[in-house]
Amino acid sequence: GGGTLDLMRTVYGNQYSKKELKKMSEDKEKIFRKIYKGEIKQILGFKKFLDELKSKDIMVGLASNAIRKNVSMIINELEIYDHFDSIICGDEVINGKPNPEMFNETIDRFNINKDECLIFEDSLEGVLAAKNSGIKVIGITSSSSNKVLTDAGCVMSISDYLDFKLSDIRMWICRSFKSIKEKVLRMEVESMQLQYIYQYLIYLYKVNKYNTL
């Protein structure tokens, strides 16, 4: 979901000052870490999937609306901190999801095209952020149903990573490249058609000019 401070503003409006809301937000996050410390569980197959990605030298980024302290606790408990080539948290950006800022920043860090990227998201805000960034997104049904996620714009959804393979990522990336290739080809054809039309108009002009002499 959205950042905690944004959530506090939505709930309390102008009832509290920004400083008070920030203190309340920090207290809430402390309670979260106290409750869930030692209780973090991975989505089935997630660590194995990450291992497969890293074995192929595929860059992996983490972009979360959660604050850095919460993110660090979770990925350290799962022992996957070193699997990420980039980590961007909600308290490190100006705009959290559904704004695409953290996804765009990750793309810039990796120096890749958006069509070379695939996002996995379990929140509607995250799906919208991916769509707003123009990146294909696969939904995780840990908090929303398949229908909700696909209606929001996911190309597909999965309940876990047990049956999701590296070849599936290649499939979606290749589909992106095929789409781009088709668009470029269509543009080239249209450009050629315009060129022929232009040449034909010049021809008609010359014929007409000759006939009027």
Side-chain angles (χ1 to χ4, degrees), residues 190-212:
E190 290 172 353
S191 178
M192 289 174 65
Q193 289 173 340
L194 288 173
Q195 185 177 2
Y196 289 140
I197 292 171
Y198 177 69
Q199 291 174 347
Y200 182 63
L201 288 174
I202 292 176
Y203 169 76
L204 289 178
Y205 170 77
K206 289 181 178 179
V207 170
N208 184 61
K209 183 177 180 182
Y210 175 81
N211 290 335
T212 56

mmCIF file of all heavy atoms in Angstrom, residues 190-212:
data_model
loop_
_atom_site.group_PDB
_atom_site.id
_atom_site.type_symbol
_atom_site.label_atom_id
_atom_site.label_comp_id
_atom_site.label_asym_id
_atom_site.label_seq_id
_atom_site.Cartn_x
_atom_site.Cartn_y
_atom_site.Cartn_z
ATOM 1 N N GLU A 190 4.632 2.741 -42.842
ATOM 2 C CA GLU A 190 3.881 3.989 -42.971
ATOM 3 C C GLU A 190 4.755 5.096 -43.533
ATOM 4 O O GLU A 190 4.307 5.914 -44.335
ATOM 5 C CB GLU A 190 3.310 4.388 -41.609
ATOM 6 C CG GLU A 190 2.191 3.471 -41.126
ATOM 7 C CD GLU A 190 1.770 3.753 -39.705
ATOM 8 O OE1 GLU A 190 2.452 4.578 -39.048
ATOM 9 O OE2 GLU A 190 0.783 3.146 -39.242
ATOM 10 N N SER A 191 6.019 5.129 -43.097
ATOM 11 C CA SER A 191 6.954 6.130 -43.596
ATOM 12 C C SER A 191 7.190 5.951 -45.098
ATOM 13 O O SER A 191 7.226 6.923 -45.859
ATOM 14 C CB SER A 191 8.284 6.029 -42.845
ATOM 15 O OG SER A 191 9.216 6.955 -43.349
ATOM 16 N N MET A 192 7.338 4.685 -45.536
ATOM 17 C CA MET A 192 7.532 4.405 -46.962
ATOM 18 C C MET A 192 6.303 4.811 -47.764
ATOM 19 O O MET A 192 6.406 5.376 -48.855
ATOM 20 C CB MET A 192 7.824 2.917 -47.161
ATOM 21 C CG MET A 192 9.204 2.482 -46.671
ATOM 22 S SD MET A 192 9.436 0.693 -46.784
ATOM 23 C CE MET A 192 9.365 0.466 -48.561
ATOM 24 N N GLN A 193 5.115 4.533 -47.207
ATOM 25 C CA GLN A 193 3.881 4.895 -47.894
ATOM 26 C C GLN A 193 3.788 6.413 -48.063
ATOM 27 O O GLN A 193 3.416 6.913 -49.128
ATOM 28 C CB GLN A 193 2.681 4.379 -47.107
ATOM 29 C CG GLN A 193 2.528 2.861 -47.153
ATOM 30 C CD GLN A 193 1.434 2.372 -46.228
ATOM 31 O OE1 GLN A 193 1.031 3.062 -45.299
ATOM 32 N NE2 GLN A 193 0.957 1.151 -46.482
ATOM 33 N N LEU A 194 4.144 7.134 -47.002
ATOM 34 C CA LEU A 194 4.124 8.591 -47.074
ATOM 35 C C LEU A 194 5.122 9.105 -48.116
ATOM 36 O O LEU A 194 4.856 10.060 -48.835
ATOM 37 C CB LEU A 194 4.437 9.195 -45.704
ATOM 38 C CG LEU A 194 3.339 9.077 -44.654
ATOM 39 C CD1 LEU A 194 3.850 9.551 -43.296
ATOM 40 C CD2 LEU A 194 2.127 9.904 -45.062
ATOM 41 N N GLN A 195 6.277 8.434 -48.175
ATOM 42 C CA GLN A 195 7.301 8.824 -49.135
ATOM 43 C C GLN A 195 6.799 8.639 -50.564
ATOM 44 O O GLN A 195 6.985 9.494 -51.427
ATOM 45 C CB GLN A 195 8.578 8.009 -48.913
ATOM 46 C CG GLN A 195 9.736 8.451 -49.805
ATOM 47 C CD GLN A 195 10.996 7.658 -49.494
ATOM 48 O OE1 GLN A 195 10.988 6.779 -48.653
ATOM 49 N NE2 GLN A 195 12.058 7.965 -50.202
ATOM 50 N N TYR A 196 6.136 7.494 -50.823
ATOM 51 C CA TYR A 196 5.593 7.232 -52.162
ATOM 52 C C TYR A 196 4.503 8.246 -52.517
ATOM 53 O O TYR A 196 4.414 8.715 -53.652
ATOM 54 C CB TYR A 196 5.026 5.810 -52.233
ATOM 55 C CG TYR A 196 6.081 4.732 -52.227
ATOM 56 C CD1 TYR A 196 5.893 3.555 -51.502
ATOM 57 C CD2 TYR A 196 7.277 4.889 -52.943
ATOM 58 C CE1 TYR A 196 6.861 2.562 -51.488
ATOM 59 C CE2 TYR A 196 8.255 3.901 -52.927
ATOM 60 C CZ TYR A 196 8.037 2.747 -52.212
ATOM 61 O OH TYR A 196 8.998 1.775 -52.195
ATOM 62 N N ILE A 197 3.656 8.549 -51.529
ATOM 63 C CA ILE A 197 2.594 9.533 -51.762
ATOM 64 C C ILE A 197 3.198 10.885 -52.097
ATOM 65 O O ILE A 197 2.751 11.590 -53.022
ATOM 66 C CB ILE A 197 1.678 9.650 -50.527
ATOM 67 C CG1 ILE A 197 0.877 8.359 -50.357
ATOM 68 C CG2 ILE A 197 0.735 10.834 -50.658
ATOM 69 C CD1 ILE A 197 0.099 8.277 -49.059
ATOM 70 N N TYR A 198 4.246 11.259 -51.341
ATOM 71 C CA TYR A 198 4.917 12.543 -51.572
ATOM 72 C C TYR A 198 5.521 12.583 -52.981
ATOM 73 O O TYR A 198 5.381 13.567 -53.711
ATOM 74 C CB TYR A 198 6.004 12.740 -50.518
ATOM 75 C CG TYR A 198 6.819 14.002 -50.692
ATOM 76 C CD1 TYR A 198 6.242 15.255 -50.486
ATOM 77 C CD2 TYR A 198 8.158 13.943 -51.070
ATOM 78 C CE1 TYR A 198 6.988 16.411 -50.650
ATOM 79 C CE2 TYR A 198 8.903 15.088 -51.243
ATOM 80 C CZ TYR A 198 8.314 16.322 -51.028
ATOM 81 O OH TYR A 198 9.048 17.457 -51.214
ATOM 82 N N GLN A 199 6.196 11.490 -53.365
ATOM 83 C CA GLN A 199 6.801 11.427 -54.698
ATOM 84 C C GLN A 199 5.736 11.483 -55.788
ATOM 85 O O GLN A 199 5.926 12.110 -56.835
ATOM 86 C CB GLN A 199 7.633 10.142 -54.835
ATOM 87 C CG GLN A 199 8.896 10.141 -53.982
ATOM 88 C CD GLN A 199 9.616 8.815 -54.023
ATOM 89 O OE1 GLN A 199 9.068 7.813 -54.480
ATOM 90 N NE2 GLN A 199 10.852 8.809 -53.551
ATOM 91 N N TYR A 200 4.596 10.832 -55.536
ATOM 92 C CA TYR A 200 3.520 10.832 -56.527
ATOM 93 C C TYR A 200 2.927 12.230 -56.671
ATOM 94 O O TYR A 200 2.602 12.677 -57.787
ATOM 95 C CB TYR A 200 2.439 9.842 -56.104
ATOM 96 C CG TYR A 200 1.295 9.739 -57.088
ATOM 97 C CD1 TYR A 200 1.518 9.269 -58.381
ATOM 98 C CD2 TYR A 200 0.006 10.087 -56.725
ATOM 99 C CE1 TYR A 200 0.482 9.175 -59.303
ATOM 100 C CE2 TYR A 200 -1.034 9.992 -57.626
ATOM 101 C CZ TYR A 200 -0.798 9.529 -58.915
ATOM 102 O OH TYR A 200 -1.817 9.440 -59.814
ATOM 103 N N LEU A 201 2.805 12.950 -55.561
ATOM 104 C CA LEU A 201 2.287 14.319 -55.607
ATOM 105 C C LEU A 201 3.234 15.228 -56.391
ATOM 106 O O LEU A 201 2.780 16.100 -57.158
ATOM 107 C CB LEU A 201 2.092 14.857 -54.182
ATOM 108 C CG LEU A 201 0.926 14.257 -53.384
ATOM 109 C CD1 LEU A 201 0.953 14.767 -51.955
ATOM 110 C CD2 LEU A 201 -0.405 14.598 -54.052
ATOM 111 N N ILE A 202 4.538 15.022 -56.203
ATOM 112 C CA ILE A 202 5.524 15.802 -56.965
ATOM 113 C C ILE A 202 5.374 15.503 -58.454
ATOM 114 O O ILE A 202 5.410 16.402 -59.306
ATOM 115 C CB ILE A 202 6.953 15.488 -56.491
ATOM 116 C CG1 ILE A 202 7.161 16.025 -55.067
ATOM 117 C CG2 ILE A 202 7.986 16.082 -57.442
ATOM 118 C CD1 ILE A 202 8.502 15.689 -54.479
ATOM 119 N N TYR A 203 5.168 14.205 -58.767
ATOM 120 C CA TYR A 203 4.993 13.788 -60.159
ATOM 121 C C TYR A 203 3.763 14.462 -60.766
ATOM 122 O O TYR A 203 3.800 15.000 -61.881
ATOM 123 C CB TYR A 203 4.859 12.273 -60.227
ATOM 124 C CG TYR A 203 4.407 11.761 -61.574
ATOM 125 C CD1 TYR A 203 5.291 11.715 -62.658
ATOM 126 C CD2 TYR A 203 3.092 11.328 -61.752
ATOM 127 C CE1 TYR A 203 4.863 11.249 -63.892
ATOM 128 C CE2 TYR A 203 2.665 10.863 -62.981
ATOM 129 C CZ TYR A 203 3.549 10.831 -64.046
ATOM 130 O OH TYR A 203 3.121 10.374 -65.262
ATOM 131 N N LEU A 204 2.636 14.456 -60.038
ATOM 132 C CA LEU A 204 1.416 15.086 -60.527
ATOM 133 C C LEU A 204 1.604 16.581 -60.733
ATOM 134 O O LEU A 204 1.106 17.169 -61.702
ATOM 135 C CB LEU A 204 0.267 14.840 -59.540
ATOM 136 C CG LEU A 204 -0.273 13.416 -59.455
ATOM 137 C CD1 LEU A 204 -1.380 13.338 -58.400
ATOM 138 C CD2 LEU A 204 -0.811 12.946 -60.802
ATOM 139 N N TYR A 205 2.354 17.195 -59.822
ATOM 140 C CA TYR A 205 2.611 18.622 -59.929
ATOM 141 C C TYR A 205 3.389 18.934 -61.198
ATOM 142 O O TYR A 205 3.068 19.861 -61.945
ATOM 143 C CB TYR A 205 3.374 19.105 -58.693
ATOM 144 C CG TYR A 205 3.891 20.525 -58.822
ATOM 145 C CD1 TYR A 205 3.034 21.606 -58.670
ATOM 146 C CD2 TYR A 205 5.243 20.773 -59.106
ATOM 147 C CE1 TYR A 205 3.506 22.905 -58.796
ATOM 148 C CE2 TYR A 205 5.715 22.061 -59.228
ATOM 149 C CZ TYR A 205 4.854 23.123 -59.078
ATOM 150 O OH TYR A 205 5.315 24.408 -59.213
ATOM 151 N N LYS A 206 4.424 18.121 -61.466
ATOM 152 C CA LYS A 206 5.247 18.343 -62.649
ATOM 153 C C LYS A 206 4.441 18.133 -63.926
ATOM 154 O O LYS A 206 4.559 18.897 -64.883
ATOM 155 C CB LYS A 206 6.457 17.403 -62.620
ATOM 156 C CG LYS A 206 7.489 17.773 -61.572
ATOM 157 C CD LYS A 206 8.678 16.820 -61.601
ATOM 158 C CE LYS A 206 9.737 17.221 -60.578
ATOM 159 N NZ LYS A 206 10.884 16.285 -60.573
ATOM 160 N N VAL A 207 3.602 17.065 -63.955
ATOM 161 C CA VAL A 207 2.762 16.793 -65.126
ATOM 162 C C VAL A 207 1.792 17.931 -65.357
ATOM 163 O O VAL A 207 1.610 18.422 -66.487
ATOM 164 C CB VAL A 207 2.009 15.467 -64.952
ATOM 165 C CG1 VAL A 207 0.953 15.284 -66.044
ATOM 166 C CG2 VAL A 207 2.960 14.302 -64.969
ATOM 167 N N ASN A 208 1.174 18.383 -64.272
ATOM 168 C CA ASN A 208 0.200 19.465 -64.373
ATOM 169 C C ASN A 208 0.870 20.757 -64.833
ATOM 170 O O ASN A 208 0.338 21.492 -65.684
ATOM 171 C CB ASN A 208 -0.479 19.665 -63.014
ATOM 172 C CG ASN A 208 -1.571 20.718 -63.078
ATOM 173 O OD1 ASN A 208 -2.554 20.575 -63.814
ATOM 174 N ND2 ASN A 208 -1.409 21.793 -62.297
ATOM 175 N N LYS A 209 2.053 21.027 -64.328
ATOM 176 C CA LYS A 209 2.784 22.230 -64.704
ATOM 177 C C LYS A 209 3.163 22.186 -66.179
ATOM 178 O O LYS A 209 3.063 23.171 -66.913
ATOM 179 C CB LYS A 209 4.034 22.355 -63.834
ATOM 180 C CG LYS A 209 4.834 23.638 -64.096
ATOM 181 C CD LYS A 209 6.016 23.721 -63.159
ATOM 182 C CE LYS A 209 6.810 25.012 -63.415
ATOM 183 N NZ LYS A 209 7.989 25.106 -62.545
ATOM 184 N N TYR A 210 3.585 20.959 -66.650
ATOM 185 C CA TYR A 210 3.973 20.789 -68.042
ATOM 186 C C TYR A 210 2.769 20.999 -68.965
ATOM 187 O O TYR A 210 2.868 21.639 -70.017
ATOM 188 C CB TYR A 210 4.557 19.382 -68.243
ATOM 189 C CG TYR A 210 4.868 19.064 -69.691
ATOM 190 C CD1 TYR A 210 6.054 19.536 -70.280
ATOM 191 C CD2 TYR A 210 4.002 18.291 -70.459
ATOM 192 C CE1 TYR A 210 6.335 19.257 -71.592
ATOM 193 C CE2 TYR A 210 4.282 18.002 -71.783
ATOM 194 C CZ TYR A 210 5.457 18.478 -72.345
ATOM 195 O OH TYR A 210 5.732 18.213 -73.656
ATOM 196 N N ASN A 211 1.590 20.500 -68.571
ATOM 197 C CA ASN A 211 0.406 20.590 -69.408
ATOM 198 C C ASN A 211 -0.146 21.984 -69.501
ATOM 199 O O ASN A 211 -0.919 22.305 -70.412
ATOM 200 C CB ASN A 211 -0.682 19.652 -68.881
ATOM 201 C CG ASN A 211 -0.327 18.187 -69.101
ATOM 202 O OD1 ASN A 211 0.446 17.862 -70.004
ATOM 203 N ND2 ASN A 211 -0.870 17.311 -68.270
ATOM 204 N N THR A 212 0.194 22.826 -68.532
ATOM 205 C CA THR A 212 -0.326 24.204 -68.548
ATOM 206 C C THR A 212 0.585 25.142 -69.302
ATOM 207 O O THR A 212 0.265 26.314 -69.488
ATOM 208 C CB THR A 212 -0.472 24.722 -67.104
ATOM 209 O OG1 THR A 212 0.774 24.618 -66.420
ATOM 210 C CG2 THR A 212 -1.540 23.903 -66.373
#
